[in-house]
Amino acid sequence: MPIERLFATPVYAATLARRGVGELNAQLLRECRQLRADDPAGRRWSAANYPGGYTSYGTANKMHRASPTFGRLETLLRPHLGTFLRALQFDLAGRRLEMTDCWVNLMPHRVAHGSHLHPLSTISGTYYVQAPAGCAALKFEDPRLERMMAAPPRRARAPRAQRPWVSVPARAGQVVLFESWLRHEVPANPLRSERVSVSFNYAWF
Ligand SMILES: [Fe+2]
């Protein structure tokens, strides 16, 4: 086919590690729930900004420095970040990306996280601590969508690379990485069991 596919938008999804993920997740889950119990300011922030759920985004957002368990997660994420950065063909001019923020998200039944991006960051991502089968996925939006003023809709069976929205399933033990400008959302959790994730940002500047 005389067609070149340009301006790709890579999204990375992989299992965090071959061993020890179950143990790490059990400890992360305990700490995420303890944080919710110990963080009244975060619960107030969540009531205003994350209705029905709890996020430590407004209060405890440097968890990689506050807890050795989250520090271990940061260490395990680093090779994944390296692979993703190479795939993105970034020239980092000898500077490393640093994890600047790391926070927890607990989503009970029907809690959603509306469409957003992560300003002032380079790479963002999520690690799934508890993701029961059938829980809400991470839904990405085609970054060119706002420019498509007279473009027809795409076929329902179009390849994933050509759909306007693409969902990456949430699976416990999986890490998902993406460029921070890529708009995404988490639709309402349809399950009664809680969906628990740790999100993070990396900055280059
Ligand atoms: Fe996000």
Side-chain angles (χ1 to χ4, degrees), residues 99-184:
M99 186 180 276
T100 50
D101 316 285
C102 177
W103 66 97
V104 313
N105 313 287
L106 292 97
M107 300 183 86
H109 190 210
R110 292 187 180 145
V111 171
H113 189 187
S115 195
H116 65 283
L117 34 83
H118 294 215
L120 305 178
S121 295
T122 306
I123 301 290
S124 296
T126 295
Y127 174 70
Y128 295 103
V129 176
Q130 177 174 279
C135 77
L138 181 57
K139 184 176 170 187
F140 292 101
E141 180 186 296
D142 185 336
R144 305 162 302 176
L145 201 61
E146 65 201 16
R147 298 189 184 195
M148 296 180 190
M149 288 162 279
R154 280 165 255 174
R155 290 176 179 153
R157 291 189 183 177
R160 274 167 74 80
Q162 288 170 271
R163 291 181 194 177
W165 292 278
V166 180
S167 290
V168 174
R171 295 198 179 104
Q174 278 236 320
V175 51
V176 178
L177 301 172
F178 49 91
E179 287 190 76
S180 303
W181 49 257
L182 185 59
R183 204 185 303 273
H184 56 282

Side-chain angles (χ1 to χ4, degrees), residues 50-71:
Y50 202 71
Y54 168 76
T55 175
S56 70
Y57 183 74
T59 46
N61 50 25
K62 312 274 180 215
M63 288 306 296
H64 57 308
R65 293 183 201 153
S67 152
T69 313
F70 285 77

